[in-house]
Amino acid sequence: MQRRRGFFSQLLSSVECSVCFVNKIHELMSLISSLSLSLCVCVCVCVCRPPTVKQPPTIVKQSLKDYIVDPRDNIIIECEAKGNPVPVFSWRRNGKFFNIGKDPRVTMRKRSGTLEIGFRSGGRPEDYEGEYQCFATNDYGTALSNKILLRVSKAPLWPKEVLEPVVVTEGSPLVLQCNPPPGLPPPYTFWMNIMSPIPQDKRVSMGLNGDLYFSNVLVQDAQTDYSCNARFLFTHTIQQKNPFSLKVLTSECTHTFLVPRIFLNPASFFFSPTETAPSFLSPSGSESFKMVLRGDKLLLECIAAGLPTPGIKWFKKGGELPGHNKVKFENFNKTLRIVSVSEEDAGQYICMASNHLGSIRHSISVQVKAAPYWLDKPTNLVLAPDENGRLVCRANGNPKPQIQWLMNGEPIESSVPNPSRQIVGDTIIFRSVQMGSSAVYQCNASNQHGYLLANAFVSILDLPPRMLGPKNQKIKVIENNRTFLDCPFFGSPLPVLRWFKNGQGSGLDGGQYRLHINGTLEIRRARDEDQGTYTCVASNILGMAENQVHLEVKDPTRIIRAPEHQAVRRGSTARFDCKVTSDPSLAVTVTWMKDDKPLALGWRFKKDEEFLYIHNVNEGDEGTYTCVVASEIDEDSSPARLTVLDLPDPPMDLELSDPAARSVRLTWIPGNDHNSPIREFLVQFEEDRWDPGRWQNLTSFPGHLNSVILQLAPFVNYQFRVIAINTEGQSEPSRPSPRYKTSGAAPDAIPTGLRGWGSSKDNMEITWEPLLDLERNGPNLQYNVWWRRKDSGEEWSNVTTASSKHIVHNTETYVPYDIKIQARNDFGAGPESNVETGYSGEDSESTHTVKQNEKAKLSICGARPFVSLIFHFDQQNVLLVYLGKVNIPAYLLSCLLTSVCVCVCVCVCVSAVPDTPRFFKINRRSSDTLHLQWDKPLEPNGILTGYQLKYLTGGPLGLADCLRLDTHTHTHTHTHTHTRTHTSIHYPPLILDWIKLFPSQQAGYFHFLSDGWLVFRVQTTSNSASWTRALMRKCLCLALIMSPLSSSAYSKDQVDIATQGWFIGLMCAIALIVLILLIVCFIKRSRGGKYPVRDKKDLPLDPVDQKDQDGSFDYHSDEDNKPLQGSQTSLDGNVKESDDSLVDYGEGGDGQFNEDGSFIGQYTVKKDKDETEGNESSEATSPVNAIYSLA
C-alpha cells in the first residue's frame, strides 16, 4: 500500500497541464528494455491537472552552489518552481531578507523567481557577491533552493618586478618559479620562449604549481627568455610574467666560462659535468600528505634532480595501483592521476627516482574525505485523511554528516507541534494524517566539506477517482508481442483499479495478464483471441470511474529477403534486395537510409518494390544502407554495407636510408587501398648508364611491408618507384625516389657458355657469353682468357680482350685444350671459371667416288693412307661397298618367312669418339611397326650424349641398292624425348634420314608405311665428337628386306604370325639347326687347307657368327687376313657373275681399310699377275659376313 502511495505521489508531482503524460513512460520503457522486447505499445495521453487538485511548491531549476560570473555580463541567478496555487518567490542574501524592490538594478522574472542584476546604469558586480537562497511559497508550504555562493571572476595582472639573470652551473638542478596571480577561477599556466612553447621532456617539465623544473641544466638551456604565462578562462585573457634570463657556467680545466644567450654543443668541451645521484625537487623531504574528496581527481607529483636524468616509478604500499581505467601517468611519468576517487584509493603511494648512481624514494599518504552524498533521498508523499506515511533522509560522508529537518524553510523544532508527526533520527513518521497538515519538508545533511538539501512535500487530499486518459481508445498491436494497456487515473484515497474483458468475468490478473502498480495491464503475448474491449474500473470510498480500450491484433511487418553486404568495383551497379510481408489491413511504406540519414533518390539511385539500384558506383556511395519498412504500429529494418573496390592509390613519399655498398633501405607510405587490401608491392628501378629511361622490375614484397632493404648491383645510378597491387589490379607507379649511386667493384659473375672449337684445322676459337650490363660492376669491362694443351703440363697462355671471343692460331689438328676465363674491370678481377675442355680445328671432310676398276689412294682426317679399293665414300663418311645383285643362299630363305633379313657391316672410326653399340637388333615386328633395340657402347670415350638412328626408304630394291647411300641423299633430323618412340616413316625412294636419340634410349618402336627395303643404322655420340661434324664414327648397319604385303593381310582381325607359339617353336628349331651347321662348318674350315679361288667360285659364302656374351656381334673373322671367295645367289635365283665386283689393287699385298671410324674388315686378295692381265673382271670378294636375326 505504501509503495502504491509513493508512486502515486510521484505521479501527481509530474502531471502538468498541456504536458503529454505517459503514466511514467520512462519506468515502463526501462522495464521493456530489460525484457528485450521487440515492440511495446504505450498510450500517451494529454491531461490537465484538475483545477481542484492542490499541490505544495517544488523547486525545478536553480543555479550552481558555487556560482562564478563574468563581470562584463549581467548577473542571472536562477530559481524556478511549480505548485498549485502558483508559488510566490522571495530571496535571502547572506542569511537576511533581500528586498528586491529597493534595488533598481535587480529585477525578478514573471511567474519565476529568477533574479537579473544589470549594470547599464552603473554599479560594480563585486558589490553583489555573497550567498543567495530562493524561497517558493504557496498555501500548502514553502520550498527552498540551495545556498548559492555568487562570486565575480577576477584576472589580476602580474606584479611589477625586475628579475635578475639566473646563473647556474652546468649539470645542476634548477627551478624557475611562476607564482601566477590568484585569479578566480585559478588560471591555466604555461611557459613560452619568445613565440613558441618551451619543449618539455623527461629532463625539463612544468609542475602542477606552474613552476618550470630542470632535473639538470645543460649548456643549450642558456636562452635569454623563459616566460611564464597565465590564461584566465572567464575573461579569455593571457597575462605574461617578465622573462627569466638563464646563464650556464661551464668549466674547462681550471677556467670558468660564462656562456650567455647562445647555444653551445657540450661535445666541444673537454670535460663533461659531474654526474649526481637523484634528489627530489618536488615534493621535498621523504614524506608528504595529500587529502582529496570522494569523486574528485587525485594528482600526485614527484620531480627529481640528478645527472643523468632520473626515471620515475610509482608504487602503492600494501597493494597495487588502481586499474588502468582510473590511473594515468602524465608529464613523463612524473604525475600520477586517479580519476573519480573513492575510499578504496586511500593509502600510501611511493614514487622512486633512479639513475645508474642510485635511487631515492618519497612516500605520499593519501587520505580520502567525502562531502555528504545521498543514500536515501526523501521524496514527495500524497496521503488521504487517516492514512499513514513516512519521509526518510539518509546521507553519508567523511566525516559523518549531520541530518537536520526543516518544515517550510524553518527548523522543525520551532514549528507548531503536530500529534500525527514523529521524528526518529533521519525519518519522519506520519500516522492518521488529517486535512490541513500539508507542508514542504527540507532535509539538510552537512559536514565540514559541504552540504545537501532536499525538498519533499506531504500533501493531504480527499478526491473521488477520475480517469485522466481519453475515452474509448483503440489500440492496434502486433501478434506475439508484449502489450501494455494504460489506464491513467487519480484519486485520494488512492483508488483500487481492476480490468475486465468484454464486460465479463472477474478482474484480469494472473496467467498471461499482469496488473502493474500504476494501473497498466500487461499482456505478455498478444494473440488473436486477445482481441476485444477491455474496461478499467478505479474505485475508492468516495466513488468510482471507468474507461474502455479496444484491442486489435495484427500480423507483424517483416523483411523476408534482406539486403546483403556487397563489395563492388567502382563504376559498376550495386543492387540491394528488400522484400516485405505485412498484415493486409496495414499500409506499409519502404524507405532507404544511408548512414542513418534518408537517401535522396535520383538518376543513380532508383528503387522499386523489392530492390534499390545504385548505378555508376563511386567512393562517395560507400556506407551502410538500411531498408526501413514501417506500418502505423510497427516497423522492421535491415542494414547492409556497400564497399566500393578500386585499384590502390600509388605509394607516396619514397625515402632512401641506411645506404650501404650494395644495398639501401627504401621506405614509402602506402596509398589508399580502396577496401581491397594490398597484397604485394612491386619495386622497379631505372638506371641512366646502360639503359636509361626504361623501368625494370627489381623485386616484390608482401603488402604489409613499407620499409625494405634492396639488394643492388655495383656501379649503377639507381632511382626507384613502387607499384601497389591488390585483387583489382596494379596502382599507378609512385613518384620516383631520389637517385642512389652504388660504388664500383670487381665483377662478381663468371662469363657463361665458355667453349673452345676450331673454325679451321689450325686454330681454336674460344667464345663465351658476355656479362650483362648490371653484372659489369664498373667501367672498362674486359676478359682474361687462359688456354693450354690438355695434360701437357705447359704454362698457361693468356690474353685480355674486351670482345666475347678470342682465336688461338697455329694449333695442331683436333687437339684438346684446357681453357678458363675471368672478367675484370677498373676495380679488379672477378672469380675465375672452372677449367673447360676445348678442341682445335679438324681436317676437312674427304668425299670421293672411285669408279669401278679404278685405283685410288686417299688420306682421310689426316690419318695414314688407305689401301686403294673400288668404293663409294658418302657424305656421312661411311664406306659402302658395291656388290651389285646379291644371290641369297639357301640357308637365308628362312628370313623370307617374316620378310626380314639382316646384314651387319662394321666401320672403323678415329679415336676419341664413342665405340660401337654392343648390339643392334629387331625385337618385334608387326604390319606397320618395328621394335628396334640396342645397347650402350663398351667405350663411350667421353660423356654419352645420345644416339642417332639412320634409315632409308624406297621401293623394292636389291641389297646393293639399299647399301648405295648417295652423297646427294636428303638428311632430316628428329628428336625423340621419350624412351619408347613411334615414328611414322613415309619418304620417297632413296631418302636418307637421321633420328637423334637420348642416352637413356636404347630401344624404340618405328612405324613404316611403304613396302620394300628399310635400312637402319644406329651410332653413338658423345661430348667429344658431335654427330653434326664430318667425322667418321663407329656404327652398326641393319638392313631390312620388306616383302610387299596386301592390305588384307594386315586387317585388324588378323593374328600376327610372329606371336604364335607354333611359329616361335619352328623358328627356334631352325635357328638351332643353323647354329649346328655353322659350328660344323667352322670346325671343317679349321681343319681344312687353302682352296683355290676358282674351285670355290660357285660355292656359297660360309658366314661365321661370333657373338659376345653381352649379345653384341663380333665382326672379326678368323680369316680376316684371308681373301673371301664365293658369291651370293640373287633374289631371282639365277647365279651370275656380279657386274660390280671387288678387286684389290693394293700395291703392298695385304691391306686394311678404315672409314668413318667403323670397322668393315680386312680384305686382302692375292692376285696372280697373269690372271689379272688375262681377265679384266676379277671375282667379287664380299666384305660382309651376314648375320641374320629373326624377330
Side-chain angles (χ1 to χ4, degrees):
M1 183 68 176
Q2 183 64 34
R3 289 181 58 198
R4 296 179 65 188
R5 285 173 178 157
F7 182 83
F8 186 73
S9 300
Q10 297 180 47
L11 174 63
L12 180 61
S13 66
S14 63
V15 175
E16 290 293 332
C17 186
S18 302
V19 177
C20 185
F21 172 67
V22 293
N23 202 12
K24 303 303 283 183
I25 188 66
H26 296 292
E27 284 85 353
L28 292 176
M29 291 302 294
S30 299
L31 173 64
I32 294 165
S33 177
S34 65
L35 295 175
S36 301
L37 299 179
S38 60
L39 181 68
C40 71
V41 175
C42 294
V43 180
C44 182
V45 296
C46 276
V47 297
C48 289
R49 185 177 66 244
T52 58
V53 176
K54 304 301 181 181
Q55 179 180 340
T58 302
I59 301 294
V60 295
K61 190 176 183 181
Q62 57 185 320
S63 296
L64 298 175
K65 291 181 180 181
D66 191 5
Y67 188 34
I68 301 176
V69 297
D70 192 334
R72 297 171 297 181
D73 299 332
N74 291 339
I75 298 175
I76 299 176
I77 308 175
E78 291 183 322
C79 180
E80 303 286 347
K82 66 180 181 178
N84 188 17
V86 177
V88 177
F89 296 91
S90 62
W91 286 87
R92 288 183 183 180
R93 179 185 176 192
N94 298 327
K96 297 180 181 180
F97 175 73
F98 183 38
N99 192 345
I100 299 173
K102 291 185 178 182
D103 192 335
R105 297 186 183 91
V106 182
T107 60
M108 185 183 294
R109 294 175 181 174
K110 293 181 179 182
R111 301 181 64 85
S112 170
T114 300
L115 297 181
E116 290 191 21
I117 305 174
F119 302 99
R120 290 184 179 181
S121 59
R124 298 173 64 249
E126 290 80 3
D127 296 338
Y128 292 89
E129 290 183 330
E131 187 179 73
Y132 292 80
Q133 190 171 26
C134 175
F135 291 75
T137 305
N138 68 7
D139 296 341
Y140 299 97
T142 301
L144 306 181
S145 72
N146 292 322
K147 294 179 180 180
I148 303 170
L149 179 60
L150 176 65
R151 295 185 292 173
V152 178
S153 175
K154 297 177 179 61
L157 299 176
W158 292 91
K160 296 294 184 180
E161 58 182 343
V162 178
L163 301 177
E164 295 294 333
V166 179
V167 181
V168 63
T169 304
E170 183 183 11
S172 300
L174 175 65
V175 179
L176 299 180
Q177 295 182 349
C178 182
N179 296 326
L184 186 67
Y188 170 75
T189 57
F190 57 96
W191 288 81
M192 297 284 290
N193 172 21
I194 306 177
M195 296 301 294
S196 61
I198 296 295
Q200 299 190 26
D201 52 23
K202 181 180 178 181
R203 184 180 64 87
V204 181
S205 62
M206 186 182 73
L208 295 176
N209 60 357
D211 294 345
L212 188 64
Y213 292 86
F214 293 78
S215 296
N216 51 79
V217 175
L218 302 179
V219 176
Q220 55 262 40
D221 296 329
Q223 301 180 0
T224 58
D225 53 347
Y226 284 83
S227 177
C228 184
N229 297 262
R231 183 173 65 188
F232 296 91
L233 301 179
F234 272 81
T235 59
H236 302 288
T237 58
I238 296 177
Q239 302 290 342
Q240 187 178 60
K241 186 177 182 177
N242 289 338
F244 290 94
S245 179
L246 179 61
K247 297 181 180 180
V248 181
L249 297 178
T250 62
S251 59
E252 180 181 351
C253 298
T254 59
H255 301 283
T256 301
F257 296 91
L258 192 64
V259 187
R261 307 179 59 140
I262 59 174
F263 178 85
L264 295 176
N265 186 357
S268 64
F269 298 99
F270 294 99
F271 296 93
S272 60
T274 303
E275 294 184 343
T276 57
S279 61
F280 283 110
L281 299 175
S282 175
S284 60
S286 60
E287 295 183 356
S288 59
F289 174 81
K290 181 80 172 180
M291 192 275 291
V292 64
L293 292 179
R294 179 181 182 271
D296 290 350
K297 62 183 178 182
L298 172 64
L299 294 173
L300 303 178
E301 181 180 60
C302 278
I303 301 177
L307 184 66
T309 303
I312 304 294
K313 293 184 179 180
W314 290 91
F315 309 94
K316 185 178 181 182
K317 188 175 181 179
E320 296 182 354
L321 293 173
H324 295 292
N325 56 338
K326 290 188 64 175
V327 173
K328 293 182 180 179
F329 298 99
E330 301 175 346
N331 196 17
F332 308 97
N333 232 36
K334 301 174 185 179
T335 302
L336 174 68
R337 176 191 293 268
I338 302 177
V339 297
S340 186
V341 173
S342 61
E343 287 80 357
E344 294 80 7
D345 298 325
Q348 193 171 12
Y349 290 81
I350 299 172
C351 66
M352 182 180 71
S354 62
N355 61 17
H356 71 273
L357 297 180
S359 63
I360 188 173
R361 296 171 180 250
H362 184 90
S363 177
I364 306 175
S365 296
V366 175
Q367 187 177 15
V368 178
K369 299 291 185 177
Y373 56 93
W374 291 116
L375 297 178
D376 196 348
K377 185 178 180 180
T379 57
N380 297 329
L381 185 62
V382 178
L383 299 174
D386 295 326
E387 287 188 336
N388 302 328
R390 64 175 58 194
L391 293 177
V392 179
C393 178
R394 293 191 179 96
N396 196 10
N398 187 9
K400 183 75 174 178
Q402 293 181 352
I403 303 297
Q404 180 186 12
W405 284 101
L406 296 88
M407 186 181 77
N408 297 326
E410 300 295 334
I412 197 170
E413 294 83 2
S414 62
S415 63
V416 178
N418 186 349
S420 64
R421 181 183 65 212
Q422 179 184 1
I423 301 176
V424 182
D426 56 9
T427 303
I428 301 178
I429 301 174
F430 299 93
R431 295 185 180 90
S432 300
V433 296
Q434 301 298 319
M435 295 296 296
S437 59
S438 297
V440 180
Y441 293 84
Q442 289 84 31
C443 175
N444 187 304
S446 61
N447 65 11
Q448 65 190 60
H449 303 296
Y451 75 94
L452 293 174
L453 179 66
N455 293 279
F457 66 73
V458 177
S459 181
I460 312 301
L461 297 175
D462 56 344
L463 295 173
R466 63 179 61 188
M467 294 295 169
L468 303 180
K471 297 290 185 180
N472 299 322
Q473 187 180 9
K474 180 182 291 186
I475 298 177
K476 298 178 181 179
V477 299
I478 296 300
E479 186 179 8
N480 295 326
N481 280 350
R482 191 182 298 265
T483 304
F484 296 89
L485 303 182
D486 293 324
C487 184
F489 63 95
F490 184 76
S492 181
L494 182 65
V496 176
L497 187 72
R498 291 185 298 173
W499 284 88
F500 303 92
K501 180 181 179 183
N502 297 328
Q504 300 176 358
S506 59
L508 299 177
D509 193 9
Q512 74 163 351
Y513 298 103
R514 179 185 175 189
L515 184 60
H516 290 272
I517 189 174
N518 64 346
T520 298
L521 179 66
E522 175 187 344
I523 304 176
R524 289 186 172 88
R525 190 173 182 181
R527 299 168 296 182
D528 287 339
E529 53 267 28
D530 294 325
Q531 295 187 114
T533 300
Y534 291 81
T535 303
C536 63
V537 178
S539 61
N540 63 10
I541 59 174
L542 300 179
M544 181 181 68
E546 67 176 33
N547 197 3
Q548 290 183 343
V549 178
H550 302 281
L551 179 65
E552 297 181 1
V553 180
K554 303 293 184 180
D555 293 332
T557 302
R558 292 288 180 266
I559 298 175
I560 59 176
R561 188 170 68 234
E564 297 179 350
H565 300 302
Q566 293 192 37
V568 299
R569 183 75 178 269
R570 182 171 61 90
S572 60
T573 298
R575 190 190 79 175
F576 289 109
D577 297 350
C578 189
K579 188 174 183 180
V580 181
T581 181
S582 64
D583 193 285
S585 63
L586 298 177
V588 176
T589 58
V590 179
T591 58
W592 286 89
M593 311 283 287
K594 180 190 176 185
D595 298 331
D596 299 327
K597 296 180 181 179
L599 178 65
L601 301 177
W603 70 272
R604 289 199 312 114
F605 294 87
K606 296 181 180 180
K607 75 165 188 175
D608 55 22
E609 293 182 357
E610 297 184 3
F611 304 105
L612 171 68
Y613 297 94
I614 306 176
H615 300 285
N616 193 22
V617 172
N618 57 50
E619 292 183 355
D621 299 331
E622 190 170 274
T624 300
Y625 290 80
T626 304
C627 177
V628 181
V629 183
S631 67
E632 58 181 291
I633 59 174
D634 72 335
E635 70 174 28
D636 192 13
S637 63
S638 180
R641 179 77 183 172
L642 176 62
T643 302
V644 180
L645 306 179
D646 200 359
L647 300 175
D649 290 341
M652 303 174 292
D653 299 337
L654 271 65
E655 294 182 357
L656 299 178
S657 61
D658 302 339
R662 298 198 182 190
S663 67
V664 70
R665 178 176 291 277
L666 175 64
T667 305
W668 63 88
I669 298 176
N672 190 340
D673 61 8
H674 295 289
N675 302 308
S676 179
I678 296 176
R679 300 183 306 174
E680 184 181 4
F681 286 107
L682 176 62
V683 179
Q684 296 182 327
F685 75 94
E686 182 267 343
E687 50 82 24
D688 58 1
R689 188 184 307 276
W690 314 114
D691 196 0
R694 186 171 76 92
W695 287 93
Q696 306 175 54
N697 293 341
L698 179 61
T699 184
S700 61
F701 297 94
H704 65 276
L705 298 179
N706 70 325
S707 182
V708 296
I709 298 293
L710 302 180
Q711 301 300 324
L712 308 177
F715 199 63
V716 179
N717 191 15
Y718 286 98
Q719 69 173 344
F720 307 98
R721 70 181 186 184
V722 183
I723 297 175
I725 303 174
N726 63 8
T727 56
E728 303 302 312
Q730 294 186 355
S731 70
E732 292 295 324
S734 67
R735 292 179 179 270
S737 70
R739 285 201 176 270
Y740 179 73
K741 185 175 182 180
T742 54
S743 57
D748 299 317
I750 300 174
T752 60
L754 181 62
R755 176 176 173 234
W757 58 283
S759 58
S760 65
K761 65 181 181 180
D762 59 350
N763 75 358
M764 179 177 64
E765 186 171 321
I766 304 175
T767 60
W768 60 89
E769 294 293 334
L771 296 185
L772 302 177
D773 292 336
L774 295 180
E775 296 175 337
R776 291 173 173 263
N777 292 4
N780 298 326
L781 178 66
Q782 294 181 315
Y783 301 95
N784 293 333
V785 185
W786 289 272
W787 68 92
R788 68 180 179 187
R789 290 192 55 159
K790 190 175 183 66
D791 301 329
S792 64
E794 298 177 354
E795 295 293 330
W796 289 93
S797 300
N798 69 84
V799 69
T800 300
T801 179
S803 66
S804 60
K805 70 176 181 178
H806 175 71
I807 300 177
V808 181
H809 297 281
N810 300 323
T811 64
E812 297 183 15
T813 303
Y814 200 68
V815 174
Y817 281 83
D818 289 335
I819 56 176
K820 62 181 180 178
I821 192 169
Q822 176 190 52
R824 64 174 297 114
N825 58 24
D826 287 352
F827 294 95
E832 295 182 4
S833 69
N834 295 328
V835 176
E836 303 290 344
T837 301
Y839 290 88
S840 59
E842 306 168 6
D843 202 351
S844 60
E845 177 184 356
S846 296
T847 301
H848 185 72
T849 301
V850 181
K851 296 181 180 180
Q852 184 175 359
N853 300 328
E854 180 181 355
K855 293 185 178 180
K857 188 174 184 180
L858 299 178
S859 177
I860 303 174
C861 298
R864 61 186 181 275
F866 283 81
V867 177
S868 299
L869 296 175
I870 299 175
F871 63 94
H872 177 78
F873 195 61
D874 73 351
Q875 289 182 339
Q876 280 69 37
N877 302 316
V878 178
L879 179 65
L880 300 177
V881 180
Y882 287 175
L883 298 179
K885 295 183 179 180
V886 181
N887 297 320
I888 303 299
Y891 61 83
L892 293 180
L893 294 178
S894 61
C895 297
L896 299 179
L897 296 176
T898 57
S899 299
V900 175
C901 291
V902 179
C903 176
V904 179
C905 55
V906 181
C907 305
V908 178
C909 185
V910 297
S911 61
V913 296
D915 201 354
T916 307
R918 296 179 184 176
F919 66 86
F920 181 33
K921 64 181 179 179
I922 300 173
N923 274 352
R924 291 181 297 279
R925 174 186 178 277
S926 65
S927 60
D928 59 353
T929 305
L930 292 177
H931 183 270
L932 309 179
Q933 186 177 3
W934 56 92
D935 198 0
K936 294 180 180 179
L938 288 174
E939 295 295 336
N941 292 327
I943 299 175
L944 192 63
T945 60
Y947 301 92
Q948 297 162 359
L949 182 66
K950 191 172 184 180
Y951 57 91
L952 177 70
T953 62
L957 301 171
L959 179 58
D961 295 327
C962 290
L963 298 179
R964 188 182 298 113
L965 306 179
D966 294 337
T967 58
H968 302 289
T969 304
H970 174 69
T971 301
H972 186 74
T973 300
H974 294 272
T975 300
H976 297 260
T977 58
H978 301 288
T979 301
R980 293 181 179 241
T981 306
H982 296 267
T983 303
S984 182
I985 303 171
H986 190 187
Y987 288 96
L990 296 181
I991 294 299
L992 183 66
D993 208 341
W994 283 100
I995 300 177
K996 187 176 181 181
L997 306 173
F998 290 100
S1000 60
Q1001 190 169 352
Q1002 299 171 15
Y1005 287 96
F1006 300 89
H1007 292 273
F1008 56 89
L1009 301 178
S1010 61
D1011 299 331
W1013 283 88
L1014 285 178
V1015 177
F1016 289 92
R1017 182 173 63 197
V1018 66
Q1019 74 179 48
T1020 55
T1021 61
S1022 71
N1023 57 350
S1024 61
S1026 173
W1027 74 279
T1028 58
R1029 295 182 189 153
L1031 292 177
M1032 294 177 293
R1033 300 170 182 85
K1034 294 184 179 181
C1035 62
L1036 293 180
C1037 294
L1038 184 63
L1040 309 176
I1041 305 175
M1042 310 305 299
S1043 299
L1045 298 174
S1046 62
S1047 58
S1048 60
Y1050 291 95
S1051 62
K1052 292 184 179 179
D1053 297 333
Q1054 181 181 0
V1055 178
D1056 190 354
I1057 190 174
T1059 62
Q1060 299 302 306
W1062 64 268
F1063 179 76
I1064 295 175
L1066 178 61
M1067 292 300 102
C1068 291
I1070 295 175
L1072 181 59
I1073 294 173
V1074 172
L1075 179 60
I1076 294 173
L1077 292 176
L1078 291 175
I1079 293 173
V1080 172
C1081 180
F1082 177 76
I1083 294 173
K1084 184 177 180 180
R1085 285 174 62 89
S1086 298
R1087 293 179 178 179
K1090 296 183 180 179
Y1091 300 92
V1093 175
R1094 296 182 182 273
D1095 296 340
K1096 302 295 180 181
K1097 182 177 182 180
D1098 296 329
L1099 295 179
L1101 178 65
D1102 292 334
V1104 179
D1105 294 349
Q1106 295 183 0
K1107 198 171 187 179
D1108 294 341
Q1109 293 180 358
D1110 57 359
S1112 61
F1113 295 105
D1114 184 3
Y1115 303 101
H1116 296 79
S1117 173
D1118 290 341
E1119 297 182 336
D1120 282 341
N1121 295 325
K1122 298 180 181 180
L1124 299 178
Q1125 299 177 358
S1127 62
Q1128 292 182 330
T1129 307
S1130 63
L1131 294 177
D1132 55 6
N1134 296 325
V1135 178
K1136 62 171 61 175
E1137 202 175 57
S1138 175
D1139 295 332
D1140 296 323
S1141 61
L1142 292 179
V1143 181
D1144 188 352
Y1145 295 94
E1147 295 176 357
D1150 293 344
Q1152 181 176 341
F1153 181 84
N1154 296 332
E1155 177 185 349
D1156 195 24
S1158 300
F1159 178 76
I1160 294 296
Q1162 295 177 357
Y1163 312 107
T1164 303
V1165 180
K1166 294 181 179 181
K1167 184 171 179 60
D1168 189 332
K1169 182 178 180 180
D1170 296 337
E1171 186 180 24
T1172 303
E1173 293 176 354
N1175 189 0
E1176 294 182 4
S1177 296
S1178 63
E1179 296 177 6
T1181 304
S1182 174
V1184 179
N1185 290 328
I1187 300 175
Y1188 292 87
S1189 174
L1190 300 176

